[in-house]
Amino acid sequence: MIKGLAISTVWVLDQDRAKEFYTEKLGLEVRTDMTMGEGGMRWLTVGAKDQPDVELTLAVPGPPMVDPESAEAIKKLVAKGVLGPGVLTTDDIHGDYEKLKARGVEFLQEPQERPYGTEAIFRDDSGNWFSFTQRREGGLDFDKEWAC
């Protein structure tokens, strides 16, 4: 049976640039950086130091994962900034927001209270946006405004 999520793909436009962004700006660590097979694709994964069982694959759209036509469509969506791969969590949203901002991370939204916690929104170097959230203790607070 399924035990949990191990690896999730984040489509990026340039793996070297993404590696630098995710490690130097966000503080994630490289888990794997290798070429699979002769002339094969680059397998680049990163993850949070304290969460060894979860990795993000930083992949450029293309074969063998997707066909060339689909790869171009994905690249356009990434560059346009319409893809939001997920939520990254913290236990100090205000302090970490300031640290990441000082490292050059582009925030689309400063920390705001939500029913699920305090959330900021940032963009990676390819255009993907992430929710950066400190979860609310005690569950959802339905008195807080849901906003998009």
Side-chain angles (χ1 to χ4, degrees):
M1 292 305 298
I2 296 172
K3 293 185 178 186
L5 178 68
I7 300 173
S8 185
T9 300
V10 177
W11 298 114
V12 299
L13 302 177
D14 180 292
Q15 285 178 303
D16 289 326
R17 209 175 69 218
K19 180 181 177 180
E20 181 179 326
F21 178 87
Y22 282 83
T23 59
E24 294 180 18
K25 291 189 178 182
L26 297 185
L28 301 180
E29 62 184 20
V30 173
R31 300 282 173 74
T32 308
D33 190 353
M34 62 180 273
T35 300
M36 297 172 59
E38 189 175 321
M41 75 172 204
R42 182 177 179 189
W43 185 254
L44 172 61
T45 67
V46 297
K49 177 183 65 159
D50 295 333
Q51 197 175 23
D53 294 339
V54 178
E55 300 175 66
L56 297 176
T57 300
L58 305 178
V60 175
M65 295 174 83
V66 295
D67 63 84
E69 182 181 342
S70 298
E72 288 309 309
I74 293 168
K75 288 177 186 176
K76 286 179 183 176
L77 291 172
V78 169
K80 190 174 181 180
V82 297
L83 298 182
V87 177
L88 298 177
T89 60
T90 180
D91 57 4
D92 180 12
I93 187 72
H94 295 286
D96 289 340
Y97 166 79
E98 292 299 331
K99 287 177 193 170
L100 294 179
K101 203 168 155 186
R103 291 180 189 165
V105 174
E106 174 193 358
F107 278 87
L108 304 175
Q109 172 194 294
E110 61 186 36
Q112 296 183 11
E113 294 298 319
R114 301 283 184 241
Y116 44 85
T118 307
E119 174 189 57
I121 306 290
F122 72 84
R123 219 183 269 287
D124 74 5
D125 66 307
S126 291
N128 296 299
W129 62 270
F130 283 86
S131 169
F132 185 51
T133 301
Q134 181 174 346
R135 290 184 179 161
R136 183 181 178 286
E137 290 185 29
L140 294 173
D141 179 354
F142 291 103
D143 292 331
K144 300 283 185 209
E145 184 179 328
W146 287 91
C148 297

